[in-house]
Amino acid sequence: MVTPRRDERDAVPARLGVGRRRVKAISQRTLGGPDVLETIDVPIPEPGRGEVLVRLGATSVNTVDCALRSGRVRFLGPPPFTVGFDLSGTVVGVGPDVTEFGSGDAVFGMVHSRTGTYCEYVVARADRLGPRPAGLDDLRAAALPTAASTAWQGVVAANPQVGERVLVHAAAGGVGHFAVQFARQRGAHVIGTARAVNHEFPRGLGVDEVIDYTTTDFTTVLDGVDVVFDLVGGAYGQRSLRVLRADGRYITAQESDAVDDPRCRRITARPRPAELVAIGELAVAGDLYVHLDRVLPLDDVVLAHALSESGHSRGKVVLTPWK
Ligand SMILES: NC(=O)c1ccc[n+]([C@@H]2O[C@H](COP(=O)([O-])OP(=O)(O)OC[C@H]3O[C@@H](n4cnc5c(N)ncnc54)[C@H](OP(=O)(O)O)[C@@H]3O)[C@@H](O)[C@H]2O)c1
């Protein structure tokens, strides 16, 4: 008997009705506030060469989703488009030349496209996804790709040594709560900034000192810091340089006014499936806590974006398919 090639065995099954059956997606006709987001019907998309079709298990909100929606960043081109980068779900079919996955595989990862992840069926590049580790549910898996990759890649760039003092701005946020854990795992002494209401949260993650940025100017209480991981940006950049050692490292994931300083390194999260799987395994092993601030159905996407844009969500806001 001839064993079929994987792409033949797992090509998108006809019963799915690709291109015919209509399913739900979030879209927007104009740039603007959260209420430009609307639910529309679209045909199930067809995966192209090197792509897989994934039934959405969950996605999560990242600040870039809101920036794209509003037009603050524009790399998706003009609307209509569907936002969303983070994906966890199940492969239901594969396009030509996909060898990594077949139907039924649980996957997670990043999607950077105009068809996004805020939809029932997502087309994704297979080489941007990893196998979702057993024991990692869709909700936590969807919280990881962008935020935990940014945190991981930022901490790798900073390379903190045992005992070094690492200041993480926005320690209670999506990226920050992962960054403080990765820095602690390297044996760093971690200092975070957060409002008082959020202090117990980073402390519970092992943060050694928390500064309430609403009452205390961190530049008045810190000096000689080895690393700053800046998740706030703007004027925090120059202020952070004042507390940094002369040979310290300033890592920013934000637009910052400190970028001209030789100690500054600006990072952009890269999709690296093997790294993401390793991060997922940390979560399964209990070595990485994934905090879900809110889990909302995509029906409530307007609320989810408003929460994210409040600037005060704790951990991640996760979105699940329509009820
Ligand atoms: N370059 C990249 O590839 C990349 C990737 C992901 C994210 N980012 C950037 O990284 C930043 C953080 O992203 P995120 O997803 O973690 O955002 P987030 O979850 O929305 O951050 C919310 C957190 O920010 C804290 N915060 C707000 N203002 C603060 C201030 N002035 N000082 C200290 N903490 C403050 C809040 O804590 P309180 O409630 O206690 O105020 C809240 O917990 C964003 O600006 C995003 O654009 C960049």
Side-chain angles (χ1 to χ4, degrees), residues 63 150 170 172-175 195 198 213 231 236 253-254 267-269 311-313:
T63 56
T150 308
V175 179
R195 288 177 306 158
N198 272 331
Y213 67 88
L231 298 164
Y236 266 51
Q254 260 285 21
I267 60 150
T268 302
H312 297 296
S313 51

Side-chain angles (χ1 to χ4, degrees), residues 61-64 146-147 150 169-177 193-198 213-214 230-232 236 252-254 266-270 307-316:
V61 182
N62 289 293
T63 56
V64 67
T146 301
T150 308
H169 289 306
V175 179
H177 88 293
T193 51
R195 288 177 306 158
V197 68
N198 272 331
Y213 67 88
T214 66
D230 185 0
L231 298 164
V232 175
Y236 266 51
T252 183
Q254 260 285 21
R266 185 156 185 270
I267 60 150
T268 302
R270 304 280 175 216
L307 274 172
S308 174
E309 284 184 312
S310 76
H312 297 296
S313 51
R314 185 186 287 185
K316 291 289 297 177

